[in-house]
């Protein structure tokens, strides 16, 4: 009976849906995390009576026809790249992006990663790095005796040297993409460029549509707990309904077998 397999695809689709939701919930406190959403498409149809076919010599045609669907499939797990909430940490090397853009990170294999996680540290050479030790690109070095570090909304990094003079330490640049949802997530709060995302366009914060940098802040995940709970309940109910369809189809098949 076709209904058994059709309902099975529905149960499998909701399993994927719950997996996506569970990952969102698990990353509710992950800095710069962008939530995912499961999108579905219906499967192929069997035409038992095709619409538009002629039913008489007078040229009358079938207006709607008969199509039987074969279920559902997972089409994509697209990311929602909306702005997350800003949290004041009070730490001078914490930087949030308010608006468009990603920090550029030099990865060990020479490629460039992109992130919204601005929880930076200084390494043994005074260079600005991620919590995994990956350098910010362009590289910024903060001398040992520098104090009163200031990061402007434009990304300009300044400090005060031993003589009490203000010195420029570097310029943070941001990258943005035509299709930022097309970036490939590789874990560790990092994304990679893909053909779907397009090539990165770089520029200074707070200029030409790029977001501004906010010192002492971090961008939190854009996951809304209430929405995720509601989606989880909906997925659970859809799963239960598909399981009941399987039970009903099995009972109908059993009844038919007994009659035979």
């Amino acid at each position: 009976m076709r209904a058994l397999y059709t309902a099975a695809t529905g149960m499998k689709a909701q399993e994927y849906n719950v997996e996506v939701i569970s990952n969102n919930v698990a990353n509710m406190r992950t800095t710069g995390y962008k939530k995912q959403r499961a999108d579905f498409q219906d499967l192929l149809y069997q035409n038992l009576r095709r619409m538009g076919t002629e039913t008489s010599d007078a040229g009358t045609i079938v207006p709607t026809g008969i199509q039987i669907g074969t279920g559902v499939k997972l089409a994509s797990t697209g990311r929602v790249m909306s702005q997350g909430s800003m949290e004041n940490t009070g730490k001078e090397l914490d930087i949030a992006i308010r608006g468009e853009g990603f920090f550029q990170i030099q990865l060990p294999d020479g490629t460039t990663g992109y992130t919204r996680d601005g929880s930076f540290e200084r390494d043994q050479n005074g260079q600005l790095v991620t919590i995994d030790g990956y350098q910010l690109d362009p590289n910024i070095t903060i001398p040992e005796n520098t104090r009163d570090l200031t990061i402007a909304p434009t990304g300009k990094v300044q400090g005060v040297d031993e003589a009490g003079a203000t010195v420029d330490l570097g310029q943070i640049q941001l990258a943005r993409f035509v299709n930022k949802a097309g970036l490939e997530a590789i874990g560790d709060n990092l994304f990679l460029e893909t053909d779907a995302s397009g090539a990165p366009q770089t520029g200074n914060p707070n200029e030409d549509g790029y977001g501004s940098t906010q010192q002492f802040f971090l961008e939190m995940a854009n996951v809304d707990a209430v929405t995720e709970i509601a989606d989880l309940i909906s997925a659970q109910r859809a799963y239960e309904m598909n399981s009941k369809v399987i039970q009903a189809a099995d009972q109908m098949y059993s009844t038919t077998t007994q009659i035979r």
Side-chain angles (χ1 to χ4, degrees), residues 75-239:
S76 73
T77 54
R79 289 193 178 270
V80 180
M81 290 292 193
S82 59
Q83 177 81 47
S85 61
M86 310 285 277
E87 183 174 289
N88 190 337
T89 64
K91 183 181 176 183
E92 65 177 2
L93 291 180
D94 282 346
I95 312 167
I97 301 173
R98 186 176 182 181
E100 292 290 325
F102 294 83
F103 295 111
Q104 302 173 87
I105 306 299
Q106 191 69 38
L107 301 181
D109 62 359
T111 60
T112 301
Y114 303 92
T115 185
R116 296 278 295 190
D117 181 2
S119 51
F120 294 108
E121 302 285 350
R122 278 196 293 185
D123 66 7
Q124 69 276 14
N125 299 316
Q127 297 175 328
L128 211 58
V129 297
T130 68
I131 56 177
D132 290 316
Y134 304 152
Q135 291 183 11
L136 179 67
D137 185 19
N139 183 36
I140 294 176
T141 301
I142 303 172
E144 181 179 355
N145 296 322
T146 302
R147 55 185 174 85
D148 297 336
L149 188 69
T150 302
I151 302 171
T154 58
K156 190 173 185 178
V157 182
Q158 294 180 314
V160 177
D161 63 15
E162 293 177 307
T166 300
V167 291
D168 293 336
L169 301 176
Q171 172 68 51
I172 295 174
Q173 287 191 328
L174 302 180
R176 62 181 180 183
F177 299 84
V178 174
N179 176 27
K180 55 188 176 182
L183 292 169
E184 178 188 359
I186 60 171
D188 298 329
N189 295 351
L190 292 169
F191 296 93
L192 291 180
E193 169 193 348
T194 68
D195 292 337
S197 68
Q201 305 168 14
T202 59
N204 293 336
N206 218 24
E207 296 179 4
D208 301 325
Y210 291 89
S212 60
T213 49
Q214 305 292 315
Q215 189 182 15
F216 303 110
F217 284 86
L218 286 177
E219 181 187 7
M220 295 293 101
N222 62 348
V223 178
D224 181 74
V226 176
T227 301
E228 297 302 320
I229 291 173
D231 289 344
L232 181 60
I233 293 173
S234 297
Q236 183 180 4
R237 293 295 177 264
Y239 188 91

